[in-house]
Amino acid sequence: MYRLFLAIRYLLTRPINLLGMGGIAIGVWALVVVVSLFSGFLQVIEKHVQASSADIVVTDLPPWAEWTKLRAALHDDPNVESLAPRLLHYGLLTPPGKRPPPAPLPGRSALHGGDQPFLFVFGIDPVLEAETTRFGQLVRHPDVPEELRVADVELGEWALDAVPTVLIGLDRMLREGLKPGDAVQLTTANLRQQTDGNQSPVMIKVELRIAGAFQTEHGGFDGNNAFVALETLQDALFAGQRPRVQEVVVKIRDPEQIEPTAVRLEGNVGRAVERDGMKYGTVQTWRQKNKQFLNNVAHQRELMKIVLTVIMIVAAFLMLATLSMMVTEKTADIGILTAMGGTPTGVTSVFLSCGLVITAVGVAVGLATGILTAVYLEEIRQAVLWAVGIDLFPLDVYNLTRVPCRIEPLWLIQVTVMAMVTGLLVSALPALRAARHDPLISLRGV
């Protein structure tokens, strides 16, 4: 009983213990808030990427791949709901007579959201694309004003007119002051077969008309991509030969079976385009296709965990210092306690209990405040913006509607265990030092 009494007395009579408690609380708070923010951001980014991607994409198709054979081979799988062919190329998209801007500075390009006209051009079948991906939702996105939307007849038919049409991202359209019906020019290049049998690069210019805008939640997609009819791009690149497709996008019925389905489809594609005993074609899920991008975000979260753990280590050293000071100040008490029959184990438990109580209270305060802060991050951001005019988390940079948050129970358990183990180790050092005190030497200070 005396152990608990002494531990409580030492804690209540030494306000300096609040420093160690506060350090633990701040460390736990930071680990909860920052990791919850990054986890929420990663979750939102995954949704954005998935919304702009197909469930499964078949790529790396050889030149002799035929759409009819691929369609039959892929439809053999029972989990395949619909398919759509694609042709992917690149080019500069500028209004006629407008010269492209100078080359971007090092490290800056259209891939980073710059103002460059370089983009990737998807040749698609609009009807099949709308059945297979979220293409129909992209052109009907609520952020696209009515006057900038593509007409229903063009979305359903996209017939080849005298001037073929193109769909571009809403941000690009607004930035360049374009509107439906405006003329633009696609400048690109491709290898063409010459009369001598050799291939040589040929510059290609295609006159296009803006059909409308599209909008996704994935900001990196809109500014770097455009859609044209599959026939338009095939005619431009292959002079009317229309030989093949480069990609096939697949919509599946059961998303839970996406990985096994991708494995089966890769075998089907390989058999459909096999030549000379070699199989071609790569089948990737939406997550595999965007693996590098998603891994980069996840890697940043793991780095932040390591950085924030340093705060916990600093708090542990602070608590070690306060507990060591307590042992030094209570040397006489230790001598009296041992002279009255207190055992080394009892002395150890007194100071160990002090450290564990400091750690437990700090962890509890840190978890409570961390969870509340993470849940109300958006409200805190708005309050700070209103009070001092500083935006702590600019939403437009990341194309978000509010500050994301995802509290992971497993991470909370890991933080709690890590903090308690750290507190136990730090408390054990001064507690063991107190137990080794010689009672006669300790009583000299009385």
Side-chain angles (χ1 to χ4, degrees), residues 7-140:
I8 296 175
R9 181 174 179 271
Y10 289 164
L11 287 173
L12 296 179
T13 56
R14 299 185 77 256
I16 195 173
N17 290 323
L18 293 175
L19 288 177
M21 191 180 301
I24 294 293
I26 292 174
V28 172
W29 174 87
L31 285 168
V32 172
V33 172
V34 177
V35 174
S36 297
L37 173 62
F38 267 87
S39 297
F41 180 62
L42 179 60
Q43 185 180 44
V44 172
I45 288 296
E46 286 182 348
K47 291 181 179 178
H48 290 179
V49 171
Q50 186 177 14
S52 60
S53 306
D55 293 338
I56 294 177
V57 180
V58 181
T59 58
D60 298 331
L61 294 172
W64 59 84
E66 297 180 8
W67 164 238
T68 53
K69 291 184 178 180
L70 287 171
R71 180 172 56 188
L74 293 171
H75 263 308
D76 282 343
D77 192 283
N79 199 29
V80 172
E81 182 174 339
S82 58
L83 308 166
R86 279 181 177 179
L87 189 63
L88 178 61
H89 210 60
Y90 56 88
L92 299 173
L93 193 67
T94 56
K98 181 180 178 180
R99 297 182 61 184
L105 296 175
R108 179 170 176 81
S109 68
L111 297 177
H112 298 86
D115 297 334
Q116 305 305 317
F118 177 87
L119 43 70
F120 295 99
V121 183
F122 287 92
I124 63 172
D125 182 317
V127 176
L128 295 179
E129 189 77 19
E131 294 175 356
T132 306
T133 67
R134 297 166 181 81
F135 177 71
Q137 301 174 19
L138 304 187
V139 296
R140 295 288 178 264

Side-chain angles (χ1 to χ4, degrees), residues 243-445:
R244 64 182 182 103
V245 294
Q246 292 176 327
E247 284 187 357
V248 178
V249 290
V250 182
K251 181 180 181 181
I252 61 176
R253 292 187 173 91
D254 184 5
E256 297 296 328
Q257 297 296 318
I258 187 170
E259 298 289 346
T261 302
V263 174
R264 293 195 302 269
L265 293 183
E266 187 156 19
N268 294 349
V269 170
R271 288 187 293 271
V273 299
E274 183 177 0
R275 178 174 289 188
D276 298 330
M278 298 290 293
K279 294 184 178 181
Y280 301 85
T282 301
V283 178
Q284 295 178 308
T285 65
W286 69 269
R287 188 179 294 276
Q288 291 170 339
K289 189 172 180 62
N290 299 280
K291 180 180 179 180
Q292 186 63 45
F293 175 67
L294 296 177
N295 284 349
N296 287 341
V297 179
H299 182 61
Q300 293 176 23
R301 181 183 60 177
E302 299 307 314
L303 286 178
M304 288 305 302
K305 288 182 180 180
I306 297 175
V307 172
L308 293 173
T309 303
V310 176
I311 299 179
M312 186 68 68
I313 296 175
V314 173
F317 276 107
L318 182 61
M319 191 171 72
L320 175 63
T322 57
L323 289 175
S324 297
M325 291 172 58
M326 179 191 297
V327 171
T328 302
E329 292 176 0
K330 302 301 180 182
T331 300
D333 290 8
I334 295 171
I336 295 174
L337 183 61
T338 54
M340 295 176 63
T343 63
T345 303
V347 174
T348 302
S349 62
V350 170
F351 293 97
L352 191 61
S353 298
C354 290
L356 290 180
V357 169
I358 293 173
T359 304
V361 174
V363 169
V365 173
L367 285 177
T369 55
I371 292 174
L372 288 174
T373 303
V375 171
Y376 294 101
L377 268 175
E378 174 61 20
E379 288 72 16
I380 295 173
R381 183 191 73 86
Q382 294 180 8
V384 173
L385 181 62
W386 174 81
V388 297
I390 298 177
D391 196 346
L392 299 177
F393 197 94
L395 300 181
D396 54 342
V397 175
Y398 306 100
N399 202 24
L400 302 173
T401 56
R402 60 177 289 118
V403 178
C405 167
R406 182 187 178 189
I407 298 176
E408 300 175 337
L410 179 60
W411 174 243
L412 297 183
I413 295 174
Q414 291 174 344
V415 170
T416 302
V417 172
M418 178 178 65
M420 293 303 298
V421 170
T422 303
L424 177 63
L425 293 176
V426 169
S427 304
L429 295 177
L432 292 174
R433 183 166 66 88
R436 290 198 301 267
H437 271 288
D438 187 330
L440 296 179
I441 297 177
S442 301
L443 285 173
R444 292 176 184 174

Side-chain angles (χ1 to χ4, degrees), residues 155-217:
L155 176 61
E157 298 179 3
W158 217 334
L160 290 174
D161 300 327
V163 180
T165 56
V166 60
L167 289 171
I168 63 175
L170 177 63
D171 290 341
R172 179 182 288 270
M173 180 178 285
L174 296 176
R175 184 177 67 241
E176 298 185 4
L178 300 172
K179 60 183 183 298
D182 287 353
V184 291
Q185 185 179 78
L186 174 65
T187 304
T188 184
N190 196 30
L191 293 176
R192 289 272 180 86
Q193 193 79 20
Q194 304 299 320
T195 55
D196 57 2
N198 295 324
Q199 289 185 333
S200 61
V202 177
M203 179 175 289
I204 301 170
K205 293 185 178 181
V206 184
E207 302 297 329
L208 302 171
R209 176 175 57 85
I210 300 292
F214 69 88
Q215 175 79 347
T216 72
E217 305 300 331

